């Protein structure tokens, strides 16, 4: 179009320019833009740094061109000001621009970093006459029809603003955003130099859009009427079904689809009477509900659960105890006492099939075979086996299920396990029962009381199922590393079977019989020419593992087989396979550097140091208790990251020695004028438990009597203030730990003499065990005689010379 000539009042300015695609900015309009091109971003930032925040928006002729030049733009654009600006996470700018006036682009003054153009104001004359007023009124009248046809948010407010606008040209420019016009027509409206012609074109376009909206509205109304008719027919049919059901006519009609299938399954299923009644009632509810109803799917899922549960399905037990014993011996080496107790329980079930199934709790360190023992029992009895891990369980609903009133409700883990098993008498293993949590969502341990109690679980009710299910035929086997964290009421309902740690010889047998063949099979090496030197597995046990069980040992053997598999897989296929021999010398290459140095007892024990034995969840360990006098002090200091029970043992040991100072030949002034410090090394490891009293008393007595403790002796036991030595637990694990480091002399409480039968014969035959009932007896057993004659005369704890320099002190206290 021809550009009007400039007048002497025409303003010419240089401004940043932003090219835009597929849209046109008009004066008196507020339009949001997303600016992403680097030159355009630079132009906007330059405008924001100017005083008036002004710039020019011009439309591209070709919208596909990414970097338009000056000649690629229409000659007339719009001067605008930036009202708001923000940045998006991808680095683009969100700009709200308000058009001010039309401008003519004269020439380009700058191209980088952004385009600057010289532009001239292009005013549009607006002379008021009757024709202009008539066009304005007609346009306003058409605008009034928009709220009836448009449901767009804010259209009512926009119409109110447009009808109140006195400038007809501003009304026309603002209406353009509602019209479906292409870029060429929009640019033509911007370039139009006659205001009346602008109003005529906008009026025509608006009338066309309103006509299309009316047609669309009629089509939508007809479709809505059809939908309303279908819904009305559907509700009438539902009412008809209800009437037929009240009259007893509905049940005589043949049923099809999923409802008919569910009805047939309910009639065929072997369900208790109370369950069949509830299932039939829920089925009647399902018939009344439309398939689109949320409750339809809930009831359908509930009925499927009811039909899939083994209400009366039992698997036949094969209670051939000889066969069971054979299976247990095949799967597990040693642990004869544990096997005998399991066979005792099964013998009762054989003689009295109606007896309640036992609830066994297998307690022991990790890796001793608790879970696999449950699997062996299931295999021997030919029962179904399911396993649930309770470690870290906090939500009671995980066991009892959620009520069906909640969205996404599900049955509890117990019912789901029985559903998977397909029998009401499976072996159900509840792993890590000692690690059950408790918080605001309930107490799962309390829920286990009903599940495991034979007097209650024959009518167990899951919250989701809400029907009594008989759990009395389920054989529950729980596992735990420690009994300390299990609630007493829950522990009372279980029969505890302890699995201790394995000796070196037992680990070797287990590795040779089970672990190594299993790992060879898993790695596909059974038929490969592979030889394992005899000393390899013992070396792995000593230098690469330190545990009570065999889990780390199995992991190391698995790593070894994987290394071998990799080497054999990389062997050239065109060459014959060579036999491979793994030797002890090769282990650092296959398994890395040795993780543990050989455990050895201390060669010498200074005054005030005693060797104790401790029990942990991962097996036994040997701890050294060290003591020292603090001249000028008065308090007892205890360090080594020890708990309350061990601190009480230390205080009891000190109090006992103080109270018996005269009979022991101790100077009471030492207690009054000196502090004492007891330390248990490896302070980063938490230590607690009632078994360190004898060790602490021996360490303090050695310090005060200036008599060293025997270096070949390890001890355990708790003490009382009256001088009694009290029994402790974990004897097997403690003795195995002492034997592992080379200690062959053990001091135990007399009451623990019965626990020696749990120690393997190969270990027990190498030990010299001293049983004590009092602290005095313990001190005689662990303290060395002293060659210092003066000390002998001062200290009544002495005896006549004997043949060994480590002869214990024998005498009367």
């Amino acid at each position: 179009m021809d550009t009007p000539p400039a007048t002497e009042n025409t303003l010419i300015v240089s401004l940043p320019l932003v090219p835009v695609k597929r849209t046109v900015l008009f004066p008196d309009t507020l339009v949001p833009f997303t600016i992403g091109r680097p030159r355009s971003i630079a132009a906007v930032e330059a405008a924001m740094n100017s005083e008036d925040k002004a710039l020019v928006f011009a439309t591209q002729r070709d919208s596909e061109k990414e970097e338009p030049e000056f000649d690629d733009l229409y000659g007339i654009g719009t001067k605008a000001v930036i009202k708001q600006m923000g940045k998006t996470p991808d680095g683009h700018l969100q700009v709200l621009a308000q058009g001010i006036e039309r401008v003519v682009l004269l020439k380009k003054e700058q191209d980088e970093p952004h385009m600057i153009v010289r532009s001239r104001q292009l005013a549009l004359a607006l002379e008021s006459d009757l024709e202009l007023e008539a066009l304005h009124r007609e346009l306003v009248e058409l605008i009034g029809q928009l709220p009836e046809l448009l449901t767009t948010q804010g259209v009512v407010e926009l119409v109110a603003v447009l009808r109140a606008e006195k400038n007809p040209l501003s009304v026309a420019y603002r209406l353009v955003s509602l019209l479906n016009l292409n870029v060429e027509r929009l640019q033509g409206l911007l370039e139009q130099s006659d205001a009346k012609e602008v109003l005529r074109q906008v009026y025509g376009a608006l009338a066309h859009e309103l006509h299309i909206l009316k047609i669309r509205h009629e089509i939508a109304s007809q479709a809505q009427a059809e939908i309303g008719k279908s819904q009305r027919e559907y509700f009438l049919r539902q009412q008809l079904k209800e009437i037929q059901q009240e009259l007893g006519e509905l049940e005589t009609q043949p049923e099809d689809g999923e409802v008919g299938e569910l009805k047939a399954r309910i009639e065929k299923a072997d369900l208790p009477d109370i369950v069949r009644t509830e299932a039939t009632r829920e089925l009647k509810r399902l018939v009344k509900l439309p398939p689109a109803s949320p409750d339809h799917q809930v009831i359908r899922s509930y009925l499927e659960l009811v039909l899939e549960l083994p209400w009366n399905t039992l698997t036949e037990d094969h209670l051939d105890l000889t066969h069971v014993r054979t299976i247990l011996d095949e799967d597990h080496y040693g642990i004869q006492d544990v096997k005998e107790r399991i066979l005792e329980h099964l013998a009762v079930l054989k003689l009295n099939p109606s007896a309640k199934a036992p609830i066994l709790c297998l307690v022991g360190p990790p890796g001793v075979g608790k879970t696999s023992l449950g699997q062996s029992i299931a295999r021997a009895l030919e029962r179904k086996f399911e396993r649930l891990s309770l470690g870290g369980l906090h939500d009671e609903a995980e066991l009892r299920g959620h009520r069906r009133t909640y969205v996404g409700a599900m049955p509890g883990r117990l019912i789901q396990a029985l559903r998977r098993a397909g029998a009401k008498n499976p072996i159900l293993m509840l792993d890590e029962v000692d690690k059950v949590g408790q918080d605001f969502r309930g107490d799962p341990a309390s829920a286990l009381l009903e599940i495991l109690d034979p007097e209650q679980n024959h009518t167990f009710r899951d919250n989701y199922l809400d029907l009594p299910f008989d759990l009395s035929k389920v054989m529950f086997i729980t596992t735990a590393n420690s009994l300390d964290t299990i609630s007493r009421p829950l522990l009372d309902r279980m029969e505890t079977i302890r699995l201790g740690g394995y000796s070196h010889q037992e680990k070797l047998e287990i590795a040779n019989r089970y672990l190594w063949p299993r790992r060879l099979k898993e790695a596909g090496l059974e038929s490969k020419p592979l030889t394992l030197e005899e000393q390899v597995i013992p070396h792995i046990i000593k230098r690469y593992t330190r545990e009570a069980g065999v889990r780390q040992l199995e992991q190391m053997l698995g790593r070894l087989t994987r290394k071998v598999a990799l080497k054999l897989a990389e062997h050239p296929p065109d060459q014959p396979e060579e036999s491979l021999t793994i030797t002890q010398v090769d282990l650092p290459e296959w398994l890395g550097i040795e993780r543990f140095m050989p455990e050895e007892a201390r060669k010498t024990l200074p005054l005030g140091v005693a060797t104790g034995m401790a029990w942990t969840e991962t097996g036994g360990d040997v701890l050294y208790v060290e003591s020292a006098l603090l001249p000028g002090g008065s308090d007892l200091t205890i360090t080594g990251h020890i708990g309350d029970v061990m601190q009480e043992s230390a205080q009891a040991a000190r109090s006992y020695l103080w109270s018996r100072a005269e009979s022991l030949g101790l100077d009471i002034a030492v207690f009054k004028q000196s502090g004492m410090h007891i330390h248990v090394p490896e302070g980063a490891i938490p230590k607690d438990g009632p078994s360190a009293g004898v060790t602490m008393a021996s360490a303090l007595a050695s310090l005060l009597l200036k008599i060293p403790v025997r270096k070949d002796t390890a001890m355990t036991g708790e003490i009382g203030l009256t001088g009694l030595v009290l029994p402790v637990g974990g004897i097997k694990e403690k003795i195995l730990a002492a034997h592992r480091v080379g200690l062959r002399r053990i001091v135990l409480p007399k009451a623990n003499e019965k626990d020696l039968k749990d120690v393997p014969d190969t270990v027990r035959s190498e030990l010299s065990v001293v049983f004590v009932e009092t602290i005095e007896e313990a001190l005689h057993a662990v303290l060395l005689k002293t060659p210092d004659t003066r000390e002998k005369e001062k200290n009544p704890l002495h005896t006549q010379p004997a043949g060994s320099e480590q002869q214990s002190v024998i005498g009367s206290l």
Side-chain angles (χ1 to χ4, degrees):
M1 302 184 72
D2 295 336
T3 301
T7 65
E8 38 178 24
N9 293 328
T10 301
L11 180 63
I12 298 176
V13 295
S14 295
L15 294 172
L17 181 135
V18 175
V20 294
K21 303 177 181 180
R22 293 181 288 273
T23 188
V24 177
L25 177 64
F26 287 88
D28 300 327
T29 60
L30 201 63
V31 179
F33 290 98
T34 299
I35 310 296
R37 291 183 285 200
R39 290 204 301 172
S40 299
I41 292 175
V44 172
E45 292 175 345
M48 290 298 293
N49 292 329
S50 64
E51 183 177 352
D52 56 359
K53 296 182 175 55
L55 72 168
V56 174
F57 285 90
T59 304
Q60 298 178 203
R61 298 179 187 272
D62 182 6
S63 61
E64 300 299 327
K65 195 161 187 178
E66 287 299 323
E67 295 295 337
E69 300 299 330
F70 183 78
D71 295 336
D72 298 324
L73 306 174
Y74 286 105
I76 294 179
T78 303
K79 178 183 176 182
V81 295
I82 304 300
K83 291 297 185 181
Q84 290 181 7
M85 186 187 77
K87 287 190 176 181
T88 63
D90 56 0
H92 293 176
L93 298 181
Q94 292 284 356
V95 172
L96 186 63
Q98 182 173 17
I100 303 299
E101 60 186 6
R102 302 187 305 161
V103 293
V104 178
L105 307 185
L106 300 177
K107 68 174 183 177
K108 179 174 65 174
E109 292 188 344
Q110 177 182 308
D111 197 31
E112 295 294 341
H114 58 82
M115 196 181 300
I116 295 179
V117 296
R118 193 169 182 79
S119 62
R120 169 168 56 84
Q121 179 183 4
L122 183 59
L124 183 60
L126 189 63
E127 298 179 1
S128 179
D129 57 14
L130 293 177
E131 183 181 1
L132 184 65
E133 186 177 351
L135 287 170
H136 185 195
R137 289 186 181 182
E138 286 295 325
L139 197 58
V140 170
E141 186 176 346
L142 280 181
I143 292 172
Q145 301 178 23
L146 286 174
E148 300 177 6
L149 302 174
L150 274 181
T151 57
T152 308
Q153 186 177 5
V155 69
V156 176
E157 292 81 359
L158 176 61
V159 168
V161 171
L162 292 176
R163 298 185 73 172
E165 178 61 54
K166 301 301 182 182
N167 188 339
L169 201 56
S170 294
V171 174
Y173 283 156
R174 293 182 183 181
L175 271 174
V176 170
S177 61
L178 299 177
L179 304 178
N180 189 18
L181 302 178
N182 57 30
V183 174
E184 287 74 14
R185 290 191 65 185
L186 292 173
Q187 184 66 28
L189 283 173
L190 181 65
E191 295 179 358
Q192 183 57 248
S193 59
D194 185 354
K196 295 176 184 178
E197 184 60 27
V198 172
L199 265 64
R200 290 191 193 97
Q201 292 185 24
V202 172
Y203 178 84
L206 180 59
H208 178 71
E209 288 294 326
L210 286 173
H211 183 62
I212 293 176
L213 286 174
K214 287 179 181 179
I215 296 175
R216 290 178 60 187
H217 185 69
E218 291 174 2
I219 294 173
S221 299
Q222 292 176 359
Q224 188 65 34
E226 292 294 328
I227 295 174
K229 181 181 178 182
S230 300
Q231 289 179 339
R232 182 171 178 271
E233 291 176 355
Y234 170 77
F235 287 124
L236 288 174
R237 289 194 185 95
Q238 291 300 115
Q239 290 176 355
L240 178 61
K241 283 185 180 180
E242 293 181 8
I243 293 171
Q244 289 174 336
Q245 185 167 345
E246 291 295 328
L247 294 175
E249 298 175 357
L250 184 63
E251 301 199 6
T252 62
Q253 298 177 359
E255 295 175 335
D256 53 5
E258 63 179 18
V259 175
E261 180 186 350
L262 288 172
K263 183 177 181 182
R265 290 175 63 188
I266 291 174
E267 293 174 352
K268 184 180 178 181
D270 182 14
L271 302 175
D273 293 340
I274 185 174
V275 177
R276 187 180 300 279
T277 302
E278 181 66 18
T280 304
R281 188 177 71 84
E282 290 293 329
L283 183 65
K284 291 179 179 179
R285 286 186 59 204
L286 183 67
V287 172
K288 299 177 184 179
L289 292 173
S293 171
D295 285 342
H296 184 279
Q297 184 60 35
V298 172
I299 296 175
R300 183 172 176 270
S301 299
Y302 175 78
L303 288 174
E304 288 182 349
L305 172 67
V306 170
L307 291 171
E308 291 175 7
L309 283 175
W311 298 96
N312 293 308
T313 304
L314 292 167
T315 57
E316 183 180 354
D317 286 340
H318 292 264
L319 289 170
D320 182 353
L321 298 187
T322 302
H323 173 69
V324 174
R325 188 188 298 273
T326 302
I327 294 294
L328 294 178
D329 288 338
E330 285 179 0
D331 293 349
H332 295 84
Y333 176 79
I335 56 173
Q336 295 302 324
D337 291 345
V338 176
K339 296 175 184 176
E340 286 298 321
R341 290 192 62 180
I342 292 172
L343 289 168
E344 291 167 6
H345 288 298
L346 299 182
V348 172
L349 288 178
K350 182 176 182 178
L351 298 177
N352 182 13
S354 62
K356 294 182 173 62
I359 301 169
L360 306 179
C361 180
L362 305 179
V363 184
V368 295
K370 299 186 293 295
T371 303
S372 61
L373 195 59
Q375 294 172 337
S376 298
I377 297 172
R379 185 164 74 92
L381 297 180
E382 296 187 13
R383 284 197 186 190
K384 301 290 185 180
F385 179 81
E386 288 292 331
R387 174 183 171 274
L388 302 179
S389 178
L390 304 181
L393 186 70
H394 288 79
D395 192 352
E396 183 181 335
E398 289 287 323
L399 290 175
R400 289 187 181 274
H402 306 79
R403 300 193 184 278
R404 279 186 289 156
T405 53
Y406 295 106
V407 177
M410 294 177 61
R413 290 192 189 181
L414 196 68
I415 293 297
Q416 293 183 44
L418 292 170
R419 183 185 196 176
R420 293 191 300 269
K424 66 181 297 183
N425 63 336
I427 290 182
L428 194 57
M429 175 155 279
L430 305 178
D431 259 339
E432 312 292 353
V433 72
D434 57 327
K435 297 177 178 60
V436 174
Q438 178 181 354
D439 61 9
F440 65 92
R441 289 168 290 189
D443 182 7
S446 298
L448 285 173
L449 294 178
E450 179 187 0
I451 294 171
L452 298 180
D453 192 339
E455 302 300 327
Q456 303 180 48
N457 62 11
H458 62 282
T459 56
F460 171 73
R461 281 184 180 266
D462 181 89
N463 290 332
Y464 180 88
L465 186 63
D466 199 24
L467 289 170
F469 194 96
D470 184 7
L471 299 179
S472 61
K473 300 298 181 184
V474 178
M475 179 183 286
F476 290 101
I477 300 178
T478 64
T479 69
N481 296 130
S482 171
L483 299 179
D484 297 338
T485 56
I486 302 178
S487 65
R488 294 300 102 183
L490 180 58
L491 192 59
D492 289 342
R493 286 162 171 79
M494 302 184 293
E495 299 184 32
T496 302
I497 299 179
R498 290 189 175 272
L499 282 79
Y502 295 118
S503 66
H504 175 83
Q505 187 61 35
E506 288 174 325
K507 290 180 181 180
L508 184 59
E509 291 290 338
I510 292 171
N512 288 325
R513 295 188 185 193
Y514 308 106
L515 304 184
W516 180 245
R518 183 193 307 164
R519 285 301 185 177
L520 287 177
K521 183 177 180 181
E522 291 176 356
L525 300 174
E526 289 178 297
S527 59
K528 300 297 181 181
L530 176 63
T531 304
L532 194 67
E533 198 177 63
E534 184 178 354
Q535 293 302 317
V536 169
I537 293 180
H539 192 75
I540 292 176
I541 294 173
K542 292 179 181 179
R543 298 299 182 93
Y544 289 90
T545 65
R546 183 165 295 175
E547 56 178 342
V550 291
R551 184 166 296 159
Q552 291 180 9
L553 176 58
E554 186 172 9
Q555 291 172 357
M556 287 298 162
L557 294 177
R559 182 184 299 180
L560 190 60
T561 55
R562 290 194 299 273
K563 295 283 187 182
V564 173
L566 176 61
K567 185 167 185 177
L568 294 178
E570 291 178 340
H571 187 77
D574 55 344
Q575 298 181 11
E577 289 186 350
E578 298 179 359
S579 61
L580 182 62
T581 301
I582 301 176
T583 65
Q584 177 180 332
V585 179
D586 299 328
L587 286 179
E589 177 185 352
W590 296 95
L591 300 179
I593 60 174
E594 296 175 351
R595 299 172 59 184
F596 302 103
M597 296 301 294
E599 290 184 279
E600 294 182 359
R602 294 188 183 183
K603 300 300 183 184
T604 59
L605 291 183
L607 293 177
V609 179
T611 307
M613 297 180 294
W615 179 90
T616 69
E617 290 186 3
T618 58
D621 201 0
V622 172
L623 296 178
Y624 290 91
V625 176
E626 303 173 347
S627 61
L629 283 177
L630 307 177
S634 60
D635 296 330
L636 175 63
T637 303
I638 309 169
T639 57
H641 201 356
I642 61 179
D644 295 338
V645 177
M646 286 185 68
Q647 292 188 34
E648 291 175 0
S649 299
Q651 293 166 355
R654 179 187 185 226
S655 298
Y656 171 79
L657 294 175
W658 195 339
S659 65
R660 300 295 180 93
E662 184 175 352
S663 61
L664 293 173
L666 300 176
D667 187 358
I668 295 181
V670 174
F671 293 93
K672 296 180 179 180
Q673 299 171 5
S674 301
M676 296 183 185
H677 186 167
I678 295 179
H679 177 65
V680 184
E682 300 182 25
I685 301 175
K687 295 172 284 291
D688 200 10
S691 64
V694 169
T695 313
M696 290 181 171
S698 300
L700 289 176
S702 168
L703 180 70
L704 297 171
L705 294 171
K706 298 182 179 179
I707 303 175
V709 176
R710 292 184 58 151
K711 65 181 180 181
D712 64 339
T713 302
M715 63 200 78
T716 187
E718 192 50 86
I719 61 173
L721 282 178
T722 58
L724 292 178
V725 175
L726 308 176
V728 293
I731 296 299
K732 177 183 177 182
E733 288 78 9
K734 293 176 180 178
I735 291 179
L736 290 178
H739 182 270
R740 186 173 63 241
V741 301
L743 297 172
R744 297 295 183 264
R745 190 169 182 273
I746 307 295
V747 175
L748 295 179
K750 179 69 174 177
N752 284 120
E753 186 173 0
K754 63 183 186 303
D755 297 312
L756 270 186
K757 64 182 180 61
D758 297 330
V759 180
D761 294 338
T762 55
V763 175
R764 191 168 59 226
S765 62
E766 299 179 9
L767 298 177
S768 171
V769 183
V770 179
F771 297 103
V772 297
E773 292 182 323
T774 64
I775 300 177
E776 289 89 341
E777 292 178 7
L779 295 180
H780 283 302
V782 301
L783 293 180
L784 288 170
K785 69 171 185 176
T786 171
D788 188 339
T789 306
R790 184 171 51 84
E791 290 294 337
K792 287 182 181 178
E793 295 173 353
K794 179 180 178 181
N795 179 17
L797 281 173
H798 67 278
T799 183
Q800 297 301 321
S804 171
E805 66 174 358
Q806 291 189 352
Q807 177 68 34
S808 60
V809 177
I810 303 173
S812 175
L813 287 174

